[in-house]
Structures are given as structure tokens and as C-alpha cells.
Amino acid sequence: MKKVLPEVLRLYLVTDQASLRGRTLTDVLLAAVQGGVSCVQLREKTLGTHDFVALALAVKDLLAPFDVPLIINDRLDVALACGAQGVHLGQSDMPVALARQRLPPGVFIGLSVENLGDVARAAGQAVDYLGISPVYATPTKTDTATPWGLAGVRQVRAMTGLPLVAIGGIHPGNATELLQAGADGLAVVSAICSAANPQAAAAAFQDILRAHQTP
């Protein structure tokens, strides 16, 4: 199991093609990483394998000069084909133990947790970070469990020492309270992908993250 530094997860962009407002994914990603995004999860539920791998390879090449890790959502085959640095799994995806057996040792694994039982079970698995999903209701993902809220984030923080990434309905107005509740990272979708200026949107989140780190 690879130790994932919380700094890598601090500003965690999850892609959503429907949120790009007519722009290309590569253009939005380039702006976002220039603004300070620290890792990118490629989430493509509808692409076939051939197209998903081609897109993943292009995104990995785009991110490489910035030393920003690429994380593939769900698809272990795509992650292996493109040499991604990480994989993110949901509760209904491939079991973590099987994924760990099939992945190179340097590839890290994130796991979505939707209730306290998921968090407790994660303690015995080869997981490198947990995605608290969803923290708030969000229109970009409709098949989610009951939102955790701030109290839920605090409960998860009390149960585990793993890095925690909050996802779901996150924007600059609620980012600070999530960090104060114990989240190590903020996973953002539409607040960056749909922003008029993705670079400025990412930079605004980075300002919040830096302010939280200041003693």
C-alpha cells in the first residue's frame, strides 16, 4: 500500500464532461492545474474502453509537466493501460483486495465511503485514502447515498487516520468548514469544471487551503 501524502489530495478535481460548458476537457484541465489543482480523477461512465484509454493517455501527458497525478475512477483496466498513478473505487466496484493484487505497488487506491459501516470495513483494507461521498447533495452525481454533512465528516475523522477527501456539492463558501471538520482534501467537480475561469476558480480554492494551513 502506497502512502499518499495529504498534499497530493488537497485540491482534487473530478472531471465531468457535461459540466464543461462547451469547452474541451483538456483546455479546462490545463487551466485548472495552472490554478493549483493537485490531482485529477478522470470519471467517464459512458465512454467505451478504447476511447477512455485514449482520453486517459492524453490527460496523463497533459498533467505530467505539472507533476499532477492522474486517478482513474472505477476502471482498473483503463488505469493499467494508461499507467495512472491512482484508482478510485466505489462500494460496488471491484473489491479493494483484488484491485491491490492487480495493480503495481506504486499505484494508490481511494475508496468511497457512504456510511459508518463502510468506514469501519475500510480499516482492514489496502486503501490509501477515503472519499467521503457525498458530503452535500450534488446534481453531478444522482446515484448517491444520504449526504454526510459536517457532523458526518467529523465522525469519519474520529474513526480513521487515513487521508480524507470530501466530495459532493463543494464550493468556496463551504470549503473552510469542511477542512475544519477534518477533511484533508476537497474533491471539486462543477465549481471548477463549470467555472467561467477554471484557473481562477482553482486558485480561489488554493487560497482557502493555504489560509487553513496558516497557524
Side-chain angles (χ1 to χ4, degrees), residues 2-208:
K2 182 180 175 66
K3 181 176 176 59
V4 181
L5 295 175
E7 290 76 17
V8 171
L9 304 169
R10 291 289 276 173
L11 186 52
Y12 185 127
L13 178 61
V14 180
T15 66
D16 178 36
Q17 297 269 20
S19 299
L20 300 178
R21 298 173 56 180
R23 301 166 296 193
T24 67
L25 179 62
T26 51
D27 283 348
V28 170
L29 286 180
L30 180 59
V33 296
Q34 288 172 334
V37 161
S38 58
C39 66
V40 172
Q41 181 193 124
L42 194 57
R43 185 171 72 187
E44 295 292 341
K45 298 292 189 180
T46 60
L47 278 185
T49 301
H50 181 276
D51 290 339
F52 197 167
V53 171
L55 180 60
L57 287 167
V59 170
K60 189 182 178 207
D61 285 346
L62 182 151
L63 299 177
F66 299 92
D67 199 25
V68 170
L70 173 63
I71 301 166
I72 299 296
N73 179 263
D74 296 350
R75 296 285 301 273
L76 207 70
D77 57 337
V78 175
L80 288 167
C82 73
Q85 290 92 343
V87 173
H88 189 85
L89 301 174
Q91 290 295 319
S92 61
D93 295 328
M94 180 182 290
V96 170
L98 287 178
R100 182 70 280 162
Q101 289 174 15
R102 286 158 175 74
L103 289 168
V107 178
F108 57 86
I109 298 175
L111 178 68
S112 292
V113 290
E114 300 178 350
N115 55 59
L116 294 178
D118 292 344
V119 180
R121 284 186 292 274
Q125 301 183 64
V127 172
D128 298 290
Y129 72 90
L130 300 180
I132 306 176
S133 174
V135 175
Y136 303 114
T138 171
T140 62
K141 201 167 187 292
T142 56
D143 58 340
T144 52
T146 302
W148 283 94
L150 285 176
V153 175
R154 294 189 189 100
Q155 283 183 293
V156 179
R157 179 72 287 161
M159 290 177 65
T160 180
L162 286 170
L164 301 179
V165 177
I167 185 169
I170 295 173
H171 54 76
N174 59 27
T176 297
E177 63 187 15
L178 288 167
L179 296 168
Q180 292 172 340
D184 297 291
L186 304 173
V188 181
V189 189
S190 58
I192 291 179
C193 286
S194 295
N197 185 334
Q199 181 174 350
F205 276 106
Q206 276 293 357
D207 288 343
I208 294 168

